[in-house]
Amino acid sequence: MKEHNPDNPILHEAVNGAQSQHTPAKTPKKRDLDTMMNTGFQGTTSSAPHSFPIPKPNLERDFQMSVQLNPKISVGPGIWGQRNWVSFISGHWNGRWGKGTVVPGGQDSQLIAPDLSTHIDATYLLQTHDHPPAFIAVKMDGWRVGPREILEKLEDPAHIDEIDPKTYSFRVYVHMETGDTRYLHLNTGMWIASGVRRGTEGLFIIVP
C-alpha cells in the first residue's frame, strides 16, 4: 500500500508518484559594479532593510624602482618546472614617502612553467636616504606572462630591448616590513606593481 504524507510534497512525489507543483526560484537581478559602488549592497534585518556603500579602490603611483640584475643562474628542472636564480647588483627607488637605494644581494627565485610563464618570488632590502638610514625588507610575488614567442625573446639579452612592454604582462604583489618608527605605516600597506625588463635592468612602477 502506498503511503500518503501531505506534509512533505517531495516525499509524497517520490512515494506516490504524484506530480508536485513547485514554484520556480526567481532569478536574482544582476547589479553592475557602478550600482553596487554608488548605492551599496542591499540587505535586510529583522527590523528594516539597509544598504552600505563599498569604497572604490584607487590606484595612484606610490613609488618606482630600478634594479640592476646579475645574469640568471639555472638551478635546473624540478618537480614544479625550471628553476632560475637571479641576484640583485644594486638599484635605486623614489616615491611619495621617501627615496634611497636597493641594497646589493637581493634575489629572485624564478619558476618557469612549460608555456614559459614565469613566477616571480623576490626578496630584497631598501635603504632610505635618511640620516641615519632606515632599512625596509620587501617581498615581491607575481607572474610574467604572455605569448610564447614574446617570452622567449625576454630570455634572450640580444632581443630583450626590442620587445614592446604592452605585449606581455608583468604584475607582482608587494609587501614591506620594517622596525624603523619613521616607516611603521609600511608594515600594514598593500601594493601592486607593473614591471618591464630592459637589458640587465628591471623597472617597476608600484601603486598602493
Side-chain angles (χ1 to χ4, degrees), residues 54-76:
I54 306 299
K56 288 185 178 181
N58 295 316
L59 298 180
E60 299 177 355
R61 180 180 298 195
D62 196 42
F63 70 102
Q64 57 192 25
M65 180 178 67
S66 172
V67 181
Q68 293 292 328
L69 306 171
N70 279 312
K72 69 180 180 183
I73 298 174
S74 174
V75 180

Side-chain angles (χ1 to χ4, degrees), residues 139-154:
K139 174 75 172 177
M140 273 188 176
D141 185 272
W143 285 89
R144 188 175 66 215
V145 299
R148 187 180 185 90
E149 61 272 17
I150 297 297
L151 298 179
E152 286 177 344
K153 290 181 179 180
L154 283 173

